[in-house]
Amino acid sequence: MAAAAKPKNGRLCSICNDRRAALKRPKTLEQICRECFYAVFEDEIHKVIVENQIFKPGERIAIGASGGKDSTVLAYVLSELNRRHNYGLDLFLLSVDEGITGYRDDSLETVKRNEIQYGLPLKVVSYKELYGWTMDEIVKLIGLKNNCTFCGVFRRQALDRGAALLKVDKLVTGHNADDIAETVLLNILRGDIARLSRCTSITTGEDGPIPRCKPFKYTYEKEIVMYAYFKRLDYFSTECIYSPNAYRGFVREFIKDLERIRPRAILDIIKSGEDFRISASTKMPEQGNCERCGYISSQKWCKACVLLEGLNRGLPKLGIGRSRVLSNEPNKDTKQTNGTKNMQSKQCGTLDF
Amino acid sequence: MQLTLEFGGGLELLCDSVKIHKVDVDPQTEEEKVTMKQLLPWIRTNLIKERLEMFMKGDSVRPGVLVLVNDCDWELSGQLDTVLEEKDVIVFISTLHGG
């Protein structure tokens, strides 16, 4: 890292009025210095945690850790806040090894360094041990179409299984404000009412075995990356080699374009998502349990079991398509399945809500 | 004029996985100054080897790419109008990769 030359502007921080400003906050457009930035960034997350009563003293908490920027900053900030404000939490890092050579093996090295740097015990669960398949093997069989569906469905369960093995009370993930705004738009575009109504919740799955929380719900991606940069946090930033990055990618780019024009747009979209009211007469899928593995499911079998059955029987297309109409009306949805399967393939599966 | 350019957050993959580049960029005429507006096309021509669209959109960086000049957010120094000086350090970080 080269030593910085003199700053380009003499403007002072609008909070301390003492040091030079280092960044413009997207949320408030304030120009603030590095030290005040650290303080407001951490304080806001602390406030979100307190106001939403995310944690109770003595709880065991797993941090879903991919080695990427969001989960790395989350692990760092949470262990800091836990110490500073005496949350009394037992924190763990939980990683999923999808079995993607040249991507996950490298990012897992980052998580292993985080384990030492932050002194948090790490648990890794792999697709191979849970399902008998690595993503490399799945892609070899099914190609690069719909692979993100497999990965997304498997990851969601893998995190829950890992959390159960760690005997934690909750799982926290690094989803940030930009991710949530993206998901709100994506769910509107897909017409997915069930997900639209829950994707903005800070805590989900409270009725299930392991609730999930998003402490970065109101935290801008720009600030997370700036924080990681200024603090020199060690994170991994390579795109998944199998991610076609198409559908979510378009929404993502649209959100970034909006942010450039009006940074508040991100929070406004989240607010709109929260204010959506689903009419009481809308039939929502009922949550039950998978008859095969017992995992939470609105169908006879959960999505992972359907996908796995397809893989093991050499029919990998089984279970690709609209899950809502899958097992109840098998004849009616054949045509629709073909038409919608690309839409269903969730891009960049790390963003499962 | 000597500048240090740093690429991070995955952008280094667009320039042969090299993160830090010490470069020499000269203004078109003696009395003219180099601004970010001139530096970006220079980078496009001289450093970016693939997937240019990940780095630039129009005449600026792609939205979602953060720029710091001497560790200061370029939104505070006028973005494309930021005037560069000898030994300045310019950092580009993509926020678009992975979570």
Side-chain angles (χ1 to χ4, degrees), chain A residues 106-126:
Chain A
D106 292 345
S107 57
L108 278 174
E109 290 307 312
T110 311
V111 184
K112 284 174 192 163
R113 286 197 299 275
N114 292 160
E115 177 185 22
I116 299 162
Q117 289 154 354
Y118 310 149
L120 302 176
L122 165 69
K123 169 82 190 160
V124 181
V125 286
S126 74

Side-chain angles (χ1 to χ4, degrees), chain A residues 265-281:
Chain A
I266 288 178
L267 289 182
D268 293 342
I269 291 171
I270 297 176
K271 180 82 173 85
S272 307
E274 288 171 339
D275 288 349
F276 253 92
R277 287 292 170 268
I278 315 298
S279 118
S281 60

